[in-house]
Amino acid sequence: MELNLDSEVLLAFGYTKETATITQIGSGLINRTYLLSPLSEDQKYILQNINTSVFRKPEDIANNLKAIADYLSKNYPDYLFIKPVSTVDGKEMAMIESEYWRMLPFVPNTVSLDVLSEPQQAYEAAKQFGKLSALLNNFDASLLEPTIPGFHDLGLRFEQFTAALNTTTKELKGKAKPQIDDALKT
């Protein structure tokens, strides 16, 4: 289904309603995501409206991605890392009517999964995460800003886990015993 977005959003990235089509893709669990298909070129793009209820400082997302992309580009130029497309005025994101928008190149033959249907998908995701983590081993993480405070804080997550264990029912603990035991292994 083709959508009608505010023309300023398209103009921020150098397109108009006459030069590109827009279709919604994905489930939109967090951000509203669209496929932008320029009429005069083969490259397609992902256009995202950042959810500021989840990401209160969207500029931190943009700055983090730029820092990582610059590092990978310099140190691992053959690694495929999707770098955001700048706006026509050179910014990482466009702000139109108090909404933040970003554009990324669309990678053909790829999908984004909300729910996994087979273990191989989890394995492949973990493998790629491990590869990216290894490439970023010497990256100065102090350049990054947390985009959701506490989200990646494993100490906090463990505290939440143990608090849940202390407040849940014996019945639920019994049902989840193998998973609980596995999580508590050191």
Side-chain angles (χ1 to χ4, degrees), residues 63-106:
N63 294 335
N64 290 350
L65 280 174
K66 181 170 179 7
I68 291 169
D70 289 348
Y71 175 84
L72 291 171
S73 172
K74 178 181 175 188
N75 295 284
Y76 303 98
D78 294 333
Y79 181 73
L80 175 63
F81 185 80
I82 306 304
K83 181 179 178 180
V85 176
S86 296
T87 63
V88 293
D89 58 359
K91 295 181 181 174
E92 301 299 317
M93 287 187 176
M95 188 166 86
I96 311 295
E97 295 188 23
S98 301
E99 291 190 334
Y100 287 84
W101 294 85
R102 71 175 174 183
M103 184 182 286
L104 305 130
F106 174 75

Side-chain angles (χ1 to χ4, degrees), residues 12-62:
F13 293 98
Y15 296 97
T16 66
K17 294 176 183 181
E18 292 74 36
T19 63
T21 60
I22 302 287
T23 52
Q24 189 163 4
I25 61 172
S27 62
L29 287 174
I30 298 175
N31 301 309
R32 290 183 300 158
T33 305
Y34 306 91
L35 181 65
L36 184 140
S37 303
L39 301 177
S40 63
E41 55 188 276
D42 291 334
Q43 175 66 53
K44 294 180 181 183
Y45 300 93
I46 296 296
L47 183 63
Q48 275 191 325
N49 177 221
I50 303 299
N51 182 338
T52 54
S53 295
V54 175
F55 300 105
R56 303 227 184 253
K57 294 169 68 179
E59 55 280 346
D60 287 347
I61 297 170

